[in-house]
Amino acid sequence: MRVLIAVPTFENITPDTFKALWDLEKPCECSFEFVRGYDCATARNKIAQKALDGGYDYTLMVDNDITPPHDALVNLLSHDVDVVSGFYLCRNKDNTPGQRTCVFRLNDRFGRAYFNYTKDSEFVVDELRELKESGTHLVKVHGCGMGCTLVKPSVFNRIEYPWFDWVSYKNREHLSEDLYFCEGLRKAGIPQYVDARVSCGHLFRRIERAE
C-alpha cells in the first residue's frame, strides 16, 4: 500500500506541521509532496492529480497550519473508507480558538446543500469527545475541512473536475474549496466520515488541540 502525504500551501509549511508529519507513524510506504504558489483549490487539484498519476492507494492532505497526532495515519487507514478526516478547532473572528470544529452535519430536512455549512450545523468539541469515549470512532458527516483528510484517489474519477473550487454567489455567500469537494461527494453518493480519535492541533498564536 502506498500513501501520498501532501500539503497545499501558498507559501511555506510551518515548522510545527512539518515536525508532526515527520513524527507520523507510517505503517506503509509513504511519499511526501507539497504544492506552493497557488491558491488552495488549485493546489488541492494538483495534489489529487498527482495521486492519480502516481497510482497511490491513498492521499493524506494536511494543511500547512495543522498538526496531526502521531497515530493519525494509522487510525484513518484502519477504516478502509473512501474519505475520512481528523478534526480540529475553528478560528474565531479574533483568530483565537473556539469550541466549534471544522466538521458539519446536514441540518436541513430538505437536504439543501450549499447553505447548510453554518454554526448551527458544526460539531462542537464536546460532541466528538463524547463519541470517542463511547467507542464510536467513525462518524458519518455531511462535510468537513480538509486540514487532515485521507482520500482514496479513485474518488476523483467518480466526481466532476474541478474537484476543488471556491464559489462566490451574488448574495455574497460563498462555498470554500474543501466544502465544494464535500458537495461533490454528496452528489456522487460517496459517504464521508470523521474519526473522533484524530484530534489535530490548529496553529493560532500557539498550538491548540481539540481535546
Side-chain angles (χ1 to χ4, degrees):
M1 185 166 58
R2 299 169 62 236
V3 177
L4 176 66
I5 300 173
V7 181
T9 172
F10 184 74
E11 294 180 343
N12 296 307
I13 302 170
T14 61
D16 297 277
T17 296
F18 186 83
K19 179 65 163 58
L21 295 179
W22 182 271
D23 290 341
L24 280 177
E25 296 177 22
K26 301 176 179 68
C28 57
E29 179 185 341
C30 294
S31 301
F32 177 76
E33 183 63 76
F34 75 101
V35 177
R36 183 170 63 184
Y38 296 92
D39 63 89
C40 198
T42 302
R44 292 195 194 282
N45 284 319
K46 287 182 175 294
I47 288 168
Q49 190 62 59
K50 183 176 181 64
L52 282 171
D53 293 344
Y56 288 91
D57 299 289
Y58 292 91
T59 180
L60 176 67
M61 291 193 192
V62 179
D63 284 358
N64 73 329
D65 61 350
I66 296 295
T67 56
H70 68 93
D71 57 355
L73 181 58
V74 172
N75 284 332
L76 294 175
L77 284 170
S78 70
H79 303 296
D80 189 27
V81 294
D82 289 323
V83 184
V84 59
S85 298
F87 69 97
Y88 45 94
L89 296 172
C90 294
R91 288 187 174 95
N92 288 324
K93 289 183 178 180
D94 61 357
N95 205 39
T96 60
Q99 286 299 303
R100 298 187 179 278
T101 67
C102 295
V103 181
F104 299 85
R105 62 168 65 83
L106 182 63
N107 66 344
D108 187 302
R109 65 189 179 92
F110 298 109
R112 291 196 300 268
Y114 288 108
F115 302 105
N116 282 320
Y117 300 106
T118 64
K119 287 186 178 180
D120 291 336
S121 68
E122 287 175 279
F123 280 80
V124 296
V125 171
D126 287 345
E127 288 180 83
L128 292 170
R129 183 184 295 118
E130 289 172 4
L131 286 167
K132 175 185 175 182
E133 291 173 353
S134 72
T136 306
H137 299 149
L138 194 64
V139 184
K140 191 174 182 180
V141 297
H142 183 215
C144 67
M146 295 288 291
C148 180
T149 301
L150 187 73
V151 182
K152 289 184 178 180
S154 58
V155 165
F156 301 121
N157 289 323
R158 299 161 60 189
I159 59 178
E160 292 184 2
Y161 184 89
W163 305 299
F164 301 91
D165 200 6
W166 184 277
V167 181
S168 297
Y169 301 98
K170 291 181 179 180
N171 64 356
R172 299 184 183 180
E173 294 283 350
H174 66 267
L175 190 69
S176 58
E177 90 290 336
D178 44 10
L179 297 183
Y180 180 93
F181 173 69
C182 296
E183 286 304 320
L185 296 175
R186 186 189 66 82
K187 291 175 181 178
I190 301 171
Q192 183 176 2
Y193 301 90
V194 162
D195 188 325
R197 298 171 297 182
V198 184
S199 174
C200 301
H202 196 178
L203 297 174
F204 301 95
R205 293 195 179 103
R206 59 191 177 88
I207 296 176
E208 296 284 351
R209 193 172 296 279
E211 291 180 334

